[in-house]
Amino acid sequence: MKWDAHFFRFFELPAVLDVIDATVGETAICHLQNGFILPSRDDGEEEISVFQNTMHRDFPRYLNGYCASINTFFAMSDFTPAAGGTKLLPATHQRPDSWFPPDTAAADAIDFICPAGTMLVFDSTLWHAAGDNVSGSDRLAINHQWTKSFLKQQIDYVRALGDEVVLRQAPRTQQLLGWYTRVVTSLDEFYRPADERLYRSGQG
């Protein structure tokens, strides 16, 4: 978003907003927007183990079944068996924090195979990992994690982008960027009229 306004358009897609409203609610914020480049490895080359290709949860907290975070994940190139579709462990979302995938989990994982432009939606507590890319080309994706507004963002997007950039966006995009849930930095910012407050009432 800092370098290309196109990435704000993901905040306006009706399908994305429908998912957010039905799960984490109308006052949700964008916890993160990140891009993935999964490089291809040569046949016979050993796969390097990093966080993304090991089973993990994007929201590693169990809140007694309370849905506090949801992902919308877009394939920006074809996810094929050779390119390594994201590996998902079905029905592993909303497990207690003490639960970890067994050693046999890789055999139970399913590969998310789809054409470019597909949106994958999943509870952020679902165990998943990047697949193995041996296609000869990078595999590209962009991920969004949407959370309840009282959870801190990975990056403070309002500060990172600047007020002028945020105020150019639609009101709902401002909401998602965290414009209405900013943390005050002084008493002057705290003691403001209701319509000027950085953290508005009713934000969840």
Side-chain angles (χ1 to χ4, degrees):
M1 293 180 284
K2 183 78 171 178
W3 294 278
D4 192 329
H6 170 77
F7 292 98
F8 288 113
R9 305 292 79 82
F10 287 91
F11 291 64
E12 302 167 3
L13 294 173
V16 170
L17 297 177
D18 286 347
V19 166
I20 294 169
D21 291 347
T23 55
V24 284
E26 296 179 356
T27 60
I29 59 173
C30 181
H31 180 74
L32 63 84
Q33 179 189 71
N34 56 1
F36 293 117
I37 301 175
L38 182 64
S40 177
R41 67 177 180 86
D42 295 330
D43 258 340
E45 181 184 358
E46 186 177 349
E47 185 179 15
I48 298 173
S49 179
V50 296
F51 177 76
Q52 291 302 328
N53 63 15
T54 57
M55 283 292 167
H56 66 277
R57 301 175 294 172
D58 287 350
F59 189 79
R61 299 164 190 86
Y62 175 64
L63 304 175
N64 293 321
Y66 178 74
C67 181
S69 180
I70 200 84
N71 284 56
T72 56
F73 182 96
F74 288 86
M76 306 305 287
S77 54
D78 292 339
F79 278 35
T80 64
T86 295
K87 293 182 175 297
L88 309 171
L89 276 178
T92 58
H93 62 295
Q94 295 298 342
R95 297 287 184 102
D97 290 339
S98 59
W99 187 88
F100 290 94
D103 293 338
T104 57
D108 297 327
I110 60 172
D111 294 325
F112 185 69
I113 305 301
C114 65
T118 301
M119 179 175 74
L120 169 64
V121 177
F122 59 93
D123 185 307
S124 305
T125 62
L126 181 75
W127 289 84
H128 64 285
D132 187 17
N133 184 2
V134 292
S135 67
S137 301
D138 291 340
R139 195 211 71 185
L140 309 176
I142 185 164
N143 177 53
H144 302 83
Q145 186 177 345
W146 314 97
T147 62
K148 295 289 188 179
S149 61
F150 51 80
L151 296 168
K152 288 186 178 180
Q153 297 164 295
Q154 188 179 75
I155 292 176
D156 183 336
Y157 286 114
V158 171
R159 287 177 58 207
L161 297 167
D163 291 9
E164 184 179 336
V165 172
V166 175
L167 289 172
R168 285 203 298 265
Q169 311 309 316
R172 183 64 193 275
T173 299
Q174 294 175 18
Q175 167 77 50
L176 292 169
L177 289 169
W179 182 252
Y180 303 134
T181 51
R182 288 170 288 167
V183 177
V184 300
T185 60
S186 67
L187 291 176
D188 288 338
E189 288 184 347
F190 185 83
Y191 290 108
R192 286 187 176 189
D195 61 346
E196 296 179 12
R197 289 176 185 164
L198 303 187
Y199 198 112
R200 295 190 181 182
S201 63
Q203 293 302 308

